[in-house]
Amino acid sequence: MYDVIIIGGGPSGASAGRRAGRLGMKTLLLEKEKFPRYKPCGGGLSEHALSYLDFELPQDLIEWEVTGANVIFKGQSVKTYKDHRLSVLVSRDKFDNFLLEKAKETGIDVHTGEKVLCCREMPDCVEVDTREGTYRARFAIVAEGVQGLVKTCVRPTDNKEEYGICVVTEVPAEEKKIEERLGKTIELHFGVAGGGYGWIFPHKTYYSVGIGGVIKDFPHPKESILEFLRDNGFSGEYKLHGHKIPWGGIKRKVAGSRVLLSGDAAGFVDSFSGEGLAYAISSGQFAAEVIAGICMQGKNLKDLTRYEALCRTEFGTHLKYSLMFSRIMHRFPDRTFKIFTSDNKMVDKYLDVVDFTINYKDFLRWALLNFRLR
């Protein structure tokens, strides 16, 4: 009998595992893939996300440092910089593997290459089935990402109005060429996908190029990414990878009687930028802390609801307003993005949101005032 079983070894599951191990819980982490494994993602890791880690990120994992952004809409662009680092770019296979190794340091049991088939809440425990057998624990944390089905033990899967789709590829390039093109900026292209955007991110030996949007307004993702690649000077045969991304800010059930959902499985993602690593890491840590309070400190089982309160206080309102801002911007794209890219004050202020020095609620209030003035 474990104290907690964690389902998924990505950033949220690994962060939950490290926190659970450090708090002294008997912990089992189950991950379907063998690590390191490929993960389709732009690889942007904000300073906000880094702030949740209780260790320094090794320099060899940092492939690029970002201090600004170049925002483009229908041939109009605005480039803005900050005087400090906003984020770093990492390759997710290496970054995720590093986080899992940091979780292992705490002495927890980790099984990779073992897929969880289902999770059942029982009166006095949870039962987790894999092809290897059945495991039992007092609690479970489901950190399987957006595509998994184990979370249906707590809530139904998202419908098509609650998630988007992204397609991403890697374009090999020399570091010098990448530096000449992007410097310390990332490129964000709006107006290329309904409800979303295209991106070009610098890495040490490649560009991460992707495009994502709302399913109903993004009916031909493969054709869209190929056109986006051509329009931005990338010719060649590239391997495309698609994945879902949940819209954050939607009210979802994230806690059962003995199971908590974290990260993408809980829908904790910025609806405008698509960034989810900060919320994956922090929600995994919160889940472990709440369960440890019950297992190690003898708190009441009802205290499991404290998890929702912690997430809501830390980033719930932020994600709610990210959804509101995204809907406003994409409802009237020609009008709003034209304003957004007509003055670097808009983008500069938005970078404060990325930096988490202001939240989406304050930014939305400021932006709407400026929209009205214009």
Side-chain angles (χ1 to χ4, degrees):
M1 175 72 76
Y2 287 92
D3 290 320
V4 60
I5 294 174
I6 300 167
I7 301 166
S12 194
S15 298
R18 179 172 173 83
R19 186 59 54 90
R22 295 191 72 185
L23 290 172
M25 283 194 287
K26 186 179 181 183
T27 304
L28 170 64
L29 187 152
L30 298 167
E31 164 56 47
K32 66 180 179 179
E33 304 285 351
K34 290 284 188 181
F35 273 42
R37 53 86 176 98
Y38 175 78
K39 175 71 175 178
C41 180
L45 188 64
S46 66
E47 288 294 310
H48 176 219
L50 288 169
S51 71
Y52 289 113
L53 302 178
D54 61 355
F55 47 82
E56 291 292 323
L57 198 64
Q59 195 61 38
D60 62 351
L61 286 184
I62 298 174
E63 299 187 1
W64 214 270
E65 295 189 343
V66 175
T67 60
N70 185 18
V71 179
I72 301 163
F73 177 69
K74 293 187 176 181
Q76 185 170 297
S77 68
V78 59
K79 191 178 291 187
T80 303
Y81 297 92
K82 293 292 188 181
D83 60 2
H84 59 278
R85 189 175 76 178
L86 293 168
S87 63
V88 298
L89 276 300
V90 297
S91 289
R92 286 290 304 276
D93 56 344
K94 297 175 183 177
F95 175 70
D96 290 11
N97 187 62
F98 175 73
L99 291 190
L100 191 59
E101 291 299 316
K102 297 300 287 186
K104 289 179 184 178
E105 285 181 356
T106 65
I108 68 172
D109 293 340
V110 175
H111 296 185
T112 57
E114 188 169 352
K115 183 179 179 179
V116 172
L117 303 175
C118 70
C119 176
R120 294 182 298 277
E121 292 183 318
M122 311 296 283
D124 58 350
C125 70
V126 293
E127 293 183 342
V128 175
D129 292 341
T130 74
R131 289 191 177 89
E132 305 300 318
T134 298
Y135 301 95
R136 293 178 177 82
R138 295 177 65 185
F139 299 95
I141 299 171
V142 178
E144 61 180 350
V146 68
Q147 313 223 71
L149 297 175
V150 179
K151 64 176 172 288
T152 57
C153 67
V154 172
R155 68 172 180 87
T157 57
D158 291 331
N159 61 49
K160 290 185 177 181
E161 301 295 319
E162 296 176 330
Y163 67 86
I165 187 167
C166 291
V167 185
V168 62
T169 190
E170 288 78 39
V171 178
E174 295 179 0
E175 185 176 356
K176 184 179 179 181
K177 294 290 186 183
I178 299 171
E179 175 70 34
E180 289 173 356
R181 174 168 181 162
L182 296 177
K184 291 186 177 296
T185 68
I186 56 173
E187 278 187 18
L188 304 176
H189 296 249
F190 292 94
V192 296
Y197 63 93
W199 72 83
I200 302 174
F201 288 179
H203 287 256
K204 203 165 189 66
T205 59
Y206 66 91
Y207 297 99
S208 171
V209 183
I211 190 171
V214 178
I215 288 180
K216 64 182 177 65
D217 299 323
F218 190 37
H220 306 293
K222 182 177 180 180
E223 291 81 355
S224 296
I225 183 67
L226 292 176
E227 181 181 1
F228 183 67
L229 284 162
R230 287 193 300 269
D231 289 347
N232 286 281
F234 300 118
S235 59
E237 295 292 324
Y238 306 113
K239 191 171 183 179
L240 305 178
H241 303 272
H243 63 99
K244 293 179 180 177
I245 185 166
W247 300 130
I250 295 172
K251 180 65 177 176
R252 296 176 173 94
K253 185 178 181 183
V254 298
S257 61
R258 289 184 175 271
V259 177
L260 299 178
L261 309 184
S262 68
D264 281 15
F268 295 149
V269 174
D270 184 318
S271 282
F272 185 70
S273 71
E275 199 264 332
L277 283 172
Y279 318 111
I281 294 167
S282 59
S283 63
Q285 293 170 343
F286 285 149
E289 289 168 7
V290 168
I291 290 171
I294 299 171
C295 291
M296 312 299 291
Q297 300 172 22
K299 292 185 178 180
N300 193 291
L301 186 63
K302 290 182 179 179
D303 283 349
L304 209 63
T305 58
R306 180 170 169 263
Y307 171 68
E308 293 183 80
L310 285 170
C311 292
R312 185 168 56 250
T313 300
E314 184 73 10
F315 53 73
T317 301
H318 186 73
L319 296 186
K320 174 184 173 182
Y321 280 90
S322 80
L323 179 62
M324 190 180 300
F325 179 66
S326 181
R327 285 174 171 170
I328 291 171
M329 295 296 287
H330 291 289
R331 186 177 180 184
F332 309 105
D334 286 337
R335 186 184 307 171
T336 54
F337 284 110
K338 186 176 181 180
I339 295 173
F340 199 69
T341 55
S342 65
D343 187 338
N344 65 2
K345 289 181 181 178
M346 284 286 180
V347 177
D348 185 71
K349 195 73 171 179
Y350 179 72
L351 292 182
D352 290 337
V353 179
V354 175
D355 216 14
F356 226 70
T357 54
I358 65 170
N359 59 35
Y360 265 109
K361 185 177 181 180
D362 293 335
F363 174 72
L364 185 59
R365 185 183 295 118
W366 179 89
L368 286 175
L369 174 61
N370 278 268
F371 284 169
R372 283 200 300 270
L373 290 174
R374 290 171 184 234

